Amino acid sequence: MDASLAGTEDVPDLLVRAGELALEWFRADPARLGELDKGGPGGYDPVTEADRAVEGLLRAELSARFPGDRVVGEEAGASGPGTSGRTWLIDPVDGTKAFVSGVPLWGVLLGLSVGGEPVAGWLRQPYLRETFSAVGGTGLFEGPGLRSALRTRPTTSLGDAVMYSTHPGMFGTPAERAAFEKVAGAVRLQRFGGDCYSYGLLALGQLDLVVEASLEPYDVGALIPIVRAAGGVITGLDGTAPTGGGFVVAAATAELHAEVLDLIGH
């Protein structure tokens, strides 16, 4: 294994622990969630005790195991010296709105970058007991009684594609909304929902396209390696890796991805 990936073989077990911790609050009495709205005038953006506890667990474990690494989480920001050149990105509950609604299409996300390049990622959906992972270009799906390589579908045409986006409200500018509507009008089927789980389904060969906007680095840090390892393409509108978040196009094939960018004029 590449030296930059040393220690990652134990990460799936850590994600299982983190997922079990999150489940202590999932579909529980809402009073236990300790929910706060951090959205303010920008709109409802909940954070719960589950978000804080899961990030706390992952940050403590990663900092102890890799003291030279930098750790960046959605809730508590950055810690660690970063002298190793490695950075971990934590989204403790990606899809908190789904989580507080009792919908099991959220996930615990953990990504690893080296020198700014995403090299590994894990998506754990604990309620379904599923893990999507990519380490050094190898993608793997593990579920109850299942273990298989990740592989996207061979769809090359928008007219044949199944597309997911979490919510239309994420396209916050007229230009973003227009771009989304062009693509949505060209696909065979367009659906909403899914959060990070949609990218897992793309990598598993169950759908063909995910188009989203208003994403943060911790929303995509784990997903870039997963989509790539499965044979898909994931970029921003400029065709480069969307490590900073923003508007993201994830497609099953290079041909499908190119058709999307051509259609929206980038």
Side-chain angles (χ1 to χ4, degrees):
M1 179 181 289
D2 188 312
S4 66
L5 299 172
T8 57
E9 58 274 8
D10 297 326
V11 168
D13 291 337
L14 176 58
L15 266 289
V16 170
R17 286 176 53 199
E20 291 302 306
L21 180 59
L23 287 178
E24 293 183 15
W25 285 273
F26 185 57
R27 295 184 177 174
D29 181 347
R32 289 191 59 237
L33 283 174
E35 181 185 329
L36 295 174
D37 180 6
K38 61 182 180 179
Y44 177 58
D45 185 12
V47 59
T48 71
E49 288 294 336
D51 296 85
R52 291 183 282 263
V54 170
E55 183 170 320
L57 169 66
L58 291 174
R59 186 184 299 275
E61 289 285 346
L62 293 169
S63 298
R65 297 181 188 192
F66 312 109
D69 292 4
R70 186 168 182 251
V71 181
V72 179
E74 178 178 8
E75 306 306 333
S79 62
T83 52
S84 66
R86 305 200 320 177
T87 298
W88 298 89
L89 284 172
I90 303 170
D91 193 340
V93 178
D94 183 88
T96 303
K97 293 175 183 176
F99 185 93
V100 301
S101 304
V103 177
L105 300 184
W106 48 276
V108 180
L109 293 181
L110 183 62
L112 174 64
S113 66
V114 178
E117 174 63 24
V119 296
W122 296 263
L123 187 174
R124 175 67 179 176
Q125 210 311 304
Y127 191 80
L128 300 175
R129 293 186 292 160
E130 295 178 347
T131 301
F132 303 80
S133 64
V135 180
T138 298
L140 181 66
F141 170 76
E142 296 178 272
L146 298 171
R147 183 182 173 92
S148 63
L150 292 174
R151 178 56 52 192
T152 57
R153 295 203 289 206
T155 306
T156 58
S157 171
L158 270 172
D160 297 324
V162 174
M163 168 181 157
Y164 265 69
S165 307
T166 296
H167 192 274
M170 68 190 338
F171 302 98
T173 69
E176 289 178 344
R177 187 58 185 259
F180 160 74
E181 289 178 349
K182 282 183 180 180
V183 182
V187 298
R188 177 166 60 90
L189 174 64
Q190 192 276 316
R191 302 289 291 172
F192 289 115
D195 293 286
C196 61
Y197 194 71
S198 295
Y199 296 84
L201 292 178
L202 172 67
L204 194 59
Q206 300 299 305
L207 53 92
D208 307 294
L209 187 62
V210 182
V211 176
E212 301 198 305
S214 303
L215 301 185
E216 297 291 341
Y218 45 75
D219 293 318
V220 294
L223 302 175
I224 294 170
I226 290 172
V227 171
R228 287 176 171 176
V233 179
I234 177 169
T235 75
L237 289 175
D238 62 358
T240 65
T243 52
F247 197 110
V248 172
V249 176
T253 62
E255 295 87 349
L256 183 61
H257 181 270
E259 187 175 351
V260 173
L261 293 194
D262 286 345
L263 179 64
I264 56 184
H266 291 270

